[in-house]
Amino acid sequence: MSTSTTQDVTPFTAEDAAELVARLRAVHRTGRTRPLAWRTEQLTRLRALLTENREAIADAVHADLGKPRAESDAAEVALPVREIDHTLAHLEQWLAPQALPAEELAGLPAGSTAGTQYDPLGTVLVIAPWNYPAQLLLAPLAGALAAGNTVVAKPSELAPATSALMARLIPRYLDTEAVAVVEGGVAETTALLAQRFDHILYTGNGTVGRIVMRAAAEHLTPVTLELGGKSPVFVDRGADLETVAGRLADAKFRNAGQTCVAPDYVLTDPDTAPALAEALGRAIERLFGADPQRSPAYGRIVNQRHFDRIAALLDSGRTAHGGRTDRADRYIEPTVLLDVRPDEPVMGEEIFGPVLPIVTVADLGEAIDFINDRDKPLALYAFTEDEATRRRLAAETSSGGLGFGLPMAHLRVPALPFGGVGESGLGSYHGPYSIATFSHRKARLDVPLAPR
Ligand code: NAD
C-alpha cells in the first residue's frame, strides 16, 4: 500500500495512521514476514527496484537537489545495492540461533540447553531526510525487512520528486501487505508518531530527533536516531597535501556539502593551513573546473532557506578560495576559509554546505581538546602517517565513526556499524547492525522435564 498524501485532497489523519499501523501489525502477527524466504525475496525485489530504476532515481534526485548523475548512481543506488548484497550473502548466518556452551549452564538440570535467537520487532517506522533521499529511505528499509518486520516508510517532503517516485515504486516491487509508504511533512509525521511502533529509525536533525524520541517515549518504543553535527578533520604536519586536498575536496563538496558525514572543518597547524588551502583550490579546479557553476559534476543547495543560511556563513574568516554565490540558481561555490576563529558563525553550527573553514591549532593535544570541548561528532577524520597520532585520536576522542586517510569511506563498508554518539545520534545500522537494531535478541532456556 502507498498513501500518497501530497497528491491526495484528503489529508493523512491520526485515524488513517492508526488504521494503517493496526493493519501492518495484524499482518506481522500472521507470521508472513518471518520466514527467511520472504525476507530474501523482499531484499531481492528491493535490489531490482534500485537497479531497474537507476535512471528514474537519478532524474528525481536531480530534480530535487541538482545532484549529478554519477553521484546519484554511486550514493543513491550502488550503496544500498551493496548493502543488500552483503545482507543477502550473510542473512541466514546472522539469523541462526546462538547456543551457549554447556559450561555456562552450571547448576541447571542435566540436559539443559540455552541460547539466543533474533525475533522481528513487529511494525517499524523509517523517517528519511532529503539529502540522500533514496539511500536513506531504502537502506534502513532493507534492514527492517531483513529482520522480518512490517514497515511504514516516510520519505522527506523536501525531496518531493524522490518522495513521489518512492511512493510509486515501492508498492510495485515490495509486498504491499507488509510495506507502506506515507508521503508528507510535519502533519503526516506527527500523525504517524502518535502511533505505537515497535521501532523508529529517524534520520535528520537533532531538533526533530528530540520530537521523535519524545513521541516514542509515550509507547516505550526504541529509537535509532541518525543525526548530524560538525565532523572535524585533523591534518597532521608533514602529510602529503596534494593527496589530502584531493580526498578532502571530494568528500566535502560532493552533493554540495549536504552530507551528514561530510568533513565540516579542518584543524591543522599554522604552517600547514595556507599550503593546504592552496592545494584545496587546485583540487576543486580538478574536480569542477574553473567555474563549478557550469560543471555537471557539481550540485545545488536544496532550497532558498538553506541557501541563505549557508551564504551567511561565508563572512567568517578570510576567503582563500571560492566565495561566489547565485541565489536564483541556489549555487554556492566550493569555498575554503582561512584564519577562522572558533567563535565565528561558521564554527557555531553544522555547515551542511560547500564551505570548508580551516582553524589553526598548535599541536595534536590542542586539536584533541578542541574536539572534546564540542558535541561528539558523527565522524572524525585525520590525515597522518604517524601511528602514535592515530592511537591518541582513537583513544582520546569520541565520535560515531573514525576515518583515517579517506573521509566518508567508512559508511561504504556494510560490515561496519553506521551511527552517531551523543548529539550525533543514538544506535546504528548497516549489515548485521541493522538486524540487531530491528530485532529483539531473545534469551531461550530449555530444561528437560525428566532428568536425562
Ligand atoms: P528533513 O528536513 O528532510 O527532515 C527529516 C525528516 O523529519 C523528514 O522526513 C521530515 O518530514 C521529518 N520532520 C521534519 N520536521 C518534523 C517535525 N516537526 N515532526 C516530525 N517530523 C518532522 O531533513 P533535515 O533534518 O534537514 O536533514 C539534515 C540533517 O540530517 C543534518 O543535520 C544532517 O547531518 C542529518 N543527517 C544525518 C544522517 C545520518 O545518517 N546520520 C544522514 C543524513 C542527514
Side-chain angles (χ1 to χ4, degrees):
M1 178 198 146
S2 161
T3 309
S4 188
T5 54
T6 49
Q7 284 141 32
D8 290 351
V9 187
T10 47
F12 181 81
T13 62
E15 291 73 48
D16 297 330
E19 202 182 300
L20 172 63
V21 174
R23 188 175 65 73
L24 291 172
R25 195 174 287 293
V27 170
H28 186 258
R29 279 186 59 175
T30 65
R32 179 188 182 93
T33 62
R34 194 164 189 127
L36 179 65
W38 182 88
R39 305 183 196 199
T40 54
E41 189 191 355
Q42 295 307 305
L43 290 172
T44 307
R45 290 186 184 184
L46 188 53
R47 190 186 197 287
L49 181 158
L50 284 154
T51 56
E52 289 170 13
N53 297 282
R54 184 185 298 273
E55 295 283 307
I57 292 171
D59 288 346
V61 178
H62 189 269
D64 288 331
L65 291 161
K67 193 178 286 195
R69 187 162 296 267
E71 261 186 44
S72 180
D73 284 351
E76 308 286 356
V77 177
L79 199 138
V81 164
R82 189 181 325 178
E83 172 77 19
I84 289 168
D85 287 344
H86 180 251
T87 301
L88 283 170
H90 297 285
L91 187 58
E92 190 167 5
Q93 169 209 336
W94 293 337
L95 294 176
Q98 302 293 310
L100 286 184
E103 60 263 31
E104 302 286 351
L105 304 179
L108 286 164
S112 297
T113 58
T116 57
Q117 70 178 57
Y118 273 137
D119 283 347
L121 285 171
T123 301
V124 163
L125 173 62
V126 172
I127 306 176
W130 52 265
N131 62 333
Y132 288 84
Q135 181 207 132
L136 294 174
L137 186 74
L138 301 183
L141 174 60
L145 295 173
N149 297 285
T150 56
V151 187
V152 177
K154 214 297 285 172
S156 175
E157 75 281 15
L158 297 185
T162 311
S163 176
L165 181 68
M166 291 297 133
R168 193 160 58 78
L169 292 180
I170 287 176
R172 264 184 33 207
Y173 283 84
L174 300 183
D175 182 351
T176 52
E177 297 282 302
V179 183
V181 180
V182 175
E183 289 194 85
V186 175
E188 291 77 6
T189 314
T190 305
L192 286 169
L193 286 173
Q195 305 308 310
R196 180 170 71 81
F197 284 93
D198 298 297
H199 195 94
I200 300 174
L201 186 146
Y202 166 81
T203 305
N205 66 76
T207 306
V208 177
R210 284 168 170 80
I211 294 173
V212 170
M213 198 165 173
R214 262 185 229 116
E218 281 301 314
H219 303 287
L220 286 182
T221 297
V223 291
T224 303
L225 300 178
E226 297 285 340
L227 310 178
K230 291 182 85 64
S231 295
V233 183
F234 176 69
V235 179
D236 206 0
R237 199 184 283 273
D240 170 8
L241 293 186
E242 288 307 314
T243 305
V244 171
R247 295 181 186 185
L248 192 48
D250 183 45
K252 174 72 188 187
F253 300 112
R254 200 183 288 184
N255 203 26
Q258 302 164 109
T259 304
C260 56
V261 284
D264 189 277
Y265 64 93
V266 173
L267 295 171
T268 194
D269 62 90
D271 298 330
T272 304
L276 176 62
E278 278 180 29
L280 280 165
R282 289 191 291 276
I284 290 165
E285 275 208 41
R286 280 199 299 277
L287 285 169
F288 309 116
D291 183 3
Q293 191 167 12
R294 295 152 71 107
S295 165
Y298 191 61
R300 294 296 182 268
I301 306 305
V302 63
N303 57 28
Q304 298 291 353
R305 183 172 64 81
H306 278 285
F307 175 92
D308 293 338
R309 180 185 64 75
I310 299 162
L313 303 177
L314 293 171
D315 291 336
S316 304
R318 174 170 67 80
T319 306
H321 184 93
R324 282 175 293 193
T325 63
D326 179 349
R327 191 169 193 275
D329 189 24
R330 287 184 276 119
Y331 167 77
I332 296 183
E333 190 177 5
T335 298
V336 180
L337 302 174
L338 268 174
D339 303 334
V340 176
R341 291 194 321 270
D343 59 351
E344 290 188 277
V346 76
M347 290 304 296
E349 57 176 279
E350 179 183 4
I351 298 166
F352 221 56
V355 183
L356 183 61
I358 300 179
V359 177
T360 55
V361 285
D363 53 24
L364 176 65
E366 202 177 307
I368 289 174
D369 285 344
F370 193 97
I371 294 161
N372 290 338
D373 282 346
R374 287 162 178 76
D375 290 336
K376 292 180 180 177
L378 186 55
L380 168 62
Y381 305 114
F383 292 95
T384 178
E385 298 286 11
D386 181 37
E387 184 48 36
T389 300
R390 280 201 284 265
R391 256 203 314 272
R392 279 196 67 188
L393 283 167
E396 296 177 34
T397 66
S398 176
S399 56
L402 171 62
F404 293 111
L406 190 59
M408 307 210 308
H410 62 297
L411 70 96
R412 299 207 304 259
V413 182
L416 283 175
F418 179 59
V421 56
E423 279 287 318
S424 59
L426 194 166
S428 62
Y429 73 116
H430 282 191
Y433 301 94
S434 290
I435 303 302
T437 287
F438 291 117
S439 307
H440 168 60
R441 193 193 285 265
K442 184 159 73 182
R444 174 177 169 153
L445 173 66
D446 285 67
V447 178
L449 291 185
R452 282 181 192 161

